[in-house]
Structure formats: C-alpha cells, structure tokens
Amino acid sequence: MALSPRLEFRQAQSLTLTPQLMQSIRLLQLSHLELNDFVDAELLRNPLLEREDGAEPGETEPTEVPERTTEISAYEDTVERGERIQDAGSIADGYDTAVENVFPDQAAQDQLIPTSRLDRNGASEGGDAPDIDQFVASRPLLSEHLEAQANLILRMPADRMIARHLIDNLNEAGYLAVELDSIAELLGAELADVEAVLGALQGCDPVGVFARTVPECLAMQLRERDRLDPMMQALLDNIGLLAEHNVAGLLRAVGCDREDLADMLGEIRRLDPKPGLAFDSGPIEAVVPDVFVRPGPDGAWQIELNTEVLPRVLVNRVYYTSVTKKTREPAEKAFLSDCLATANWLTKSLDQRAQTILKVAAEIVRQQDQFLLHGIAHLRPMTLKMVAETIDMHESTVSRVTSNKYIATPRGLFEMKYFFTTAIASSTGGGDHSAEAVRHRIRQLIEAEAISDVLSDDTIAELLHKEQGIELARRTVAKYREGMNIPSSVIRRRQKKNLEHAG
C-alpha cells in the first residue's frame, strides 16, 4: 500500500481550561483566610476594584465601643474633675527613692499613664490612645534563640552553616527531624564535622533541643542536672516498657526495687520532653466557620453562609468610564479593558464560589439530618460521589469545596470533610454503618469495660455483630483502635491493675 498525503475532516469535542477558569477552580479550595489575601492582592493590582464597605485592602472594620462599667465611669469622673494620674517619678518621690527601684523595667522619663487630659473615649487630647498590643511581650522564635547561641559557640563559617541547617531541620518540639548523613551529603561536609557541630549545639538552651529521640532528650536534661547514673540510663533504654505500664519488666530491666523506680519516675515527670514548645512557632489562627446550621421554627434546618469572612468587592464602572474618556494610548486602553474583565470575573467567581459552598453544605445537612438530631451514632456513610450526583456537580468540585471549610452545627464545629466516611455493611439487612460511628461505638465499649473483663479485639468484633449487626474483622477493629490511640487489651489490663493498686 502506497503512502500518500491526503486531507481529512474530523469532528471532536475537547475541554480547554482557560487561565480564568483554572483560577476559578482554585478559588473553590481556598480557605477564607487565603481568599481574603488573594482579594487584597487583586485590590492592590486592579484600580477598578474596591471593597463594598469602602475599606482599603488589609484594613479592618472599626469595632463597636463596649459599654462602660461603673469603674470606668468613676475613672472618667476623676479625670473630668481635673485630677491627674501620677507618673512614675511622682510615685517614686512619695517613697523617697529612685524610679528604677520602684519600676526597674522603666526609664525615669517614661510615664505609667500619660498625664494629658483624656477625652470620653479614653484617648488623650494630643492624639490617639496607645494600642495595648504595643505593651505585649512576644515570645522569641526557637530558631532565632538558637542562632544567637550558635554564633557565640561556633567560630568557623563552615560550622555556622552546618548549624543553620541543623536549626532549620528542627520540628516544633525541638527534635532533629533528619539524619546527619543526609545533611553532610547536602552540604558536602564530613559526617564527623556535622556530629561535632551537633554535639556543640546540644549544649544550647533549652536543654534537650537537637535530640533525635525522647530518651535522648530526657538523658540530656538529666545529664545537665547530674542525675544520669547507670540505673537511670537503663530506665531510659527501656522506656517502651514504661509506656506499656509493664512495671515488672521495668524492675527486672533496671535492677531496682519499687521505691527506687518510683523516685526515678518522679524525676522523669519533672522533665520537659518537648523543650521547643516553650518558644513561639508562628501565629495561630482560630477556626472560623464558613457555614452556619441552625434549627428552624418549622423543624427544618436553616443554612447560611458566614458573611463576615467573605470578601465583598465591587467594580467601579464610574471610574472606568471617566478614565476611558481621557485615555488615548492603545496600551493604556488595553490595560483598562483587561482590568475591567478581571474585575468582572472576580466578582462573578466570588458569587459562584459562595453559591457552590451553600449548595454542597445544604446537601450534607440533608443527608446527615439524623446525626444533627441524635449524635455521632447516627452518622450516615457518605462519599463525595453521592453528594456530587445529587447536586449535579463533578466529584472533584465537591472535593475542592469541602477542603479547608468548616461548618458550625448544634453538635459542634466540624470540617466538611468529617462527614465523608466509608460504609460498613450490615448483616441484618438494614442500612450501612458509617466508619466514624463504628469508631465511636468501639470507644464506648472500651471505656465501659471492667477491670476483670477487658475486651479483646475479637470480643469487640463479636459485640458489634451481636448488638448492631456490624460485620467487622478483628484486624479492622485493631486498625480503628490504633487510629484512636487506644492501647491493646494486654496493655489496658495492665494499666487498670496498676491504677487499682495505686488507689
């Protein structure tokens, strides 16, 4: 068969994702904090966008002034009568001493409270009242605290570079999270040099940082207190027995009596296994719900978006019209047209995002109605596909909508992902059981067990089958139990016996 060129017509359909469509999809999975940061950046970039409330990007709305108490009113009356609050110098003169003896952290010229007359709002006549945040001491970061010490301990630039990498690889608790040979390979340094730098840094404050394991962290603190004797080291080497409450095994491994063991355990309890947590690790953001669910007067559920966390932006078409009339350059006209298109897209995308979240939340509430009424035991198995098919959306869209979103219900505040659990079949022919509800039932059975009758995983599986018709294998019970950080029946029996003897 000879090869020859020819023309063919083919008809096909394909989905092309434009940059704006990709951005709209990305907006769905942003949390409200990330969304507000994105909108603030757009407000700074696009002159045609403005907030609906008129606030500038990053500017917060003024808060209402709380009602004054009787103590504040009495204070205002004192100020209005012309009385002045004494400054540090006046107070020190009354005690016939220097200011630094009364207020050691304050210079003599600094005043406790400005002596200028205050107005009704608590601000001085010369300006605004000082912000209380100016007087709050912030905790230093662990990395900054260690860097300052490393610069004093280490003299060679190469050692300081190794120290910098070691500090960067500490977790929040102060433990070294990587192997030394990987750092040596990354920096092209000798392993002995990395070990030497680590040994020097392990003497930094707080004692216990740069440890690789919990026993090593505790050993460093005991060595600092001159309490790391061979018997204590043997206890740290067998700390796994302590976690299992295996007192008999500990006595044999350490070679001591119960009284000595109790004294050593008392010393260990006074140590800090996570020394890095004493330092600031960054800002902690409070969880704010994106959706509120409340019981309605007619027995139905009322679902509403939390408008306080949703950015509201408008397109300033008046400004666009006035500027367009004065624009002559093609580049400037193209820029304004692009800004207008971007502004229209953003407002439409924000509205579509809000409607999509509300639609998904309404379907979640509809399917989990029994959970909201009666608790976790009635949590229904639900998948992303079930919600997507009901509301006629793609499964990936539902996944993005429920990421980093929280819903406030009468049962508490939950992440939307919490309601999506796998189904466990029922042997009685009834409805399937949610995996989360089964975990809750396993926890209830373990919490109610008696000292003389500790339930094994096999026994728990039999009880679940007998009570609720839940078909569950022993290994699945063990997996759920370990996921809830509940020890095995052997360890639980040992713990209960120890508590009984201690009581």
Side-chain angles (χ1 to χ4, degrees):
M1 180 177 179
L3 297 178
S4 61
R6 62 179 181 178
L7 294 176
E8 285 187 355
F9 291 97
R10 292 183 181 179
Q11 187 175 5
Q13 289 183 341
S14 62
L15 177 62
T16 302
L17 293 179
T18 63
Q20 287 190 342
L21 181 57
M22 295 176 62
Q23 193 71 272
S24 298
I25 294 174
R26 193 174 75 88
L27 288 182
L28 288 175
Q29 61 189 13
L30 296 181
S31 66
H32 66 88
L33 293 174
E34 296 169 336
L35 181 64
N36 276 280
D37 291 340
F38 175 81
V39 171
D40 284 344
E42 288 295 322
L43 287 169
L44 293 174
R45 187 183 303 112
N46 195 331
L48 302 182
L49 280 173
E50 62 180 22
R51 287 194 180 273
E52 187 176 347
D53 52 9
E56 294 296 327
E59 185 178 311
T60 57
E61 296 182 6
T63 57
E64 295 182 359
V65 179
E67 295 183 0
R68 303 184 186 279
T69 60
T70 54
E71 289 81 0
I72 296 179
S73 299
Y75 170 76
E76 290 179 343
D77 294 340
T78 301
V79 175
E80 288 181 355
R81 289 196 303 267
E83 299 179 14
R84 296 290 185 266
I85 306 300
Q86 287 183 316
D87 59 13
S90 302
I91 296 175
D93 291 340
Y95 289 102
D96 194 19
T97 184
V99 175
E100 54 269 19
N101 295 330
V102 183
F103 307 105
D105 297 332
Q106 183 170 332
Q109 68 272 18
D110 293 339
Q111 298 178 340
L112 291 178
I113 298 178
T115 57
S116 59
R117 186 179 178 87
L118 302 179
D119 60 16
R120 300 290 297 183
N121 294 324
S124 62
E125 292 180 348
D128 297 333
D131 189 354
I132 193 172
D133 292 340
Q134 300 175 6
F135 306 101
V136 177
S138 61
R139 294 188 302 172
L141 296 175
L142 178 62
S143 59
E144 297 174 351
H145 183 67
L146 294 174
E147 281 180 22
Q149 298 178 72
N151 292 334
L152 296 175
I153 296 173
L154 305 172
R155 298 297 182 186
M156 301 299 295
D159 292 343
R160 291 183 177 180
M161 180 179 294
I162 295 174
R164 175 69 261 181
H165 280 266
L166 291 174
I167 293 172
D168 288 342
N169 285 281
L170 292 179
N171 59 22
E172 292 184 355
Y175 287 83
L176 191 61
V178 295
E179 298 295 333
L180 296 184
D181 53 359
S182 63
I183 293 182
E185 182 180 356
L186 177 65
L187 299 179
E190 296 293 333
L191 180 60
D193 296 336
V194 178
E195 292 176 345
V197 173
L198 176 63
L201 293 178
Q202 285 183 340
C204 292
D205 176 75
V207 180
V209 292
F210 294 101
R212 273 69 62 88
T213 61
V214 174
E216 184 182 7
C217 177
L218 299 178
M220 292 166 61
Q221 298 179 45
L222 289 169
R223 188 180 297 112
E224 179 71 15
R225 301 183 182 189
D226 197 21
R227 294 295 299 163
L228 189 62
D229 51 27
M231 193 175 292
M232 184 69 79
Q233 184 64 55
L235 175 59
L236 295 178
D237 293 339
N238 296 274
I239 200 169
L241 298 176
L242 178 61
E244 297 174 0
H245 288 256
N246 191 349
V247 179
L250 272 178
L251 293 175
R252 290 192 301 268
V254 178
C256 64
D257 55 21
R258 286 184 174 271
E259 185 177 354
D260 291 337
L261 181 61
D263 292 340
M264 289 189 291
L265 293 179
E267 287 191 43
I268 290 179
R269 291 190 185 97
R270 289 191 290 270
L271 303 177
D272 186 4
K274 298 179 179 180
L277 296 183
F279 293 82
D280 206 348
S281 59
I284 300 177
E285 301 290 348
V287 177
V288 180
D290 298 88
V291 181
F292 292 106
V293 178
R294 301 182 179 92
D298 56 350
W301 296 104
Q302 292 182 346
I303 306 168
E304 61 177 321
L305 290 172
N306 185 3
T307 57
E308 296 296 329
V309 300
L310 292 177
R312 297 185 294 272
V313 295
L314 297 175
V315 182
N316 194 337
R317 300 185 182 277
V318 176
Y319 178 71
Y320 171 76
T321 303
S322 62
V323 174
T324 305
K325 293 178 179 178
K326 303 176 182 178
T327 302
R328 297 291 182 268
E329 295 294 331
E332 295 177 354
K333 290 184 178 181
F335 172 75
L336 287 175
S337 299
D338 181 64
C339 287
L340 181 62
T342 303
N344 289 330
W345 161 81
L346 181 60
T347 55
K348 185 185 298 184
S349 296
L350 291 177
D351 181 68
Q352 186 176 5
R353 176 184 181 273
Q355 296 300 326
T356 306
I357 293 175
L358 192 62
K359 194 173 183 180
V360 172
E363 181 59 25
I364 292 175
V365 170
R366 188 188 69 81
Q367 295 200 27
Q368 301 295 348
D369 175 72
Q370 293 302 307
F371 162 77
L372 297 176
L373 291 174
H374 305 293
I376 192 172
H378 297 268
L379 187 66
R380 286 185 54 191
M382 186 175 67
T383 61
L384 295 171
K385 185 177 181 181
M386 293 169 58
V387 175
E389 290 178 348
T390 306
I391 62 178
D392 196 21
M393 286 186 181
H394 196 271
E395 192 173 338
S396 61
T397 303
V398 178
S399 177
R400 290 186 177 93
V401 169
T402 54
S403 297
N404 304 314
K405 312 294 188 307
Y406 292 85
I407 180 170
T409 72
R411 294 284 169 185
L413 181 65
F414 299 94
E415 188 178 8
M416 285 190 179
K417 290 285 189 184
Y418 172 83
F419 297 98
F420 296 92
T421 59
T422 56
I424 297 176
S426 174
S427 61
T428 59
D432 294 339
H433 299 273
S434 167
E436 190 64 33
V438 174
R439 291 189 189 95
H440 178 68
R441 182 54 185 157
I442 292 174
R443 180 183 291 277
Q444 285 183 327
L445 290 172
I446 292 176
E447 290 176 350
E449 64 187 4
I451 298 177
S452 58
D453 187 21
V454 177
L455 304 176
S456 64
D457 294 338
D458 285 319
T459 306
I460 293 175
E462 292 175 2
L463 290 174
L464 291 174
H465 176 70
K466 185 185 300 182
E467 292 180 357
Q468 298 175 285
I470 301 174
E471 288 287 352
L472 213 60
R474 183 203 61 81
R475 63 180 180 274
T476 308
V477 174
K479 182 182 71 173
Y480 286 172
R481 174 181 52 77
E482 292 170 358
M484 295 184 289
N485 295 323
I486 298 177
S488 65
S489 57
V490 177
I491 298 177
R492 297 202 308 274
R493 184 179 294 108
R494 190 176 295 141
Q495 290 175 348
K496 292 178 183 294
K497 287 183 178 178
N498 291 334
L499 290 175
E500 185 180 28
H501 293 324

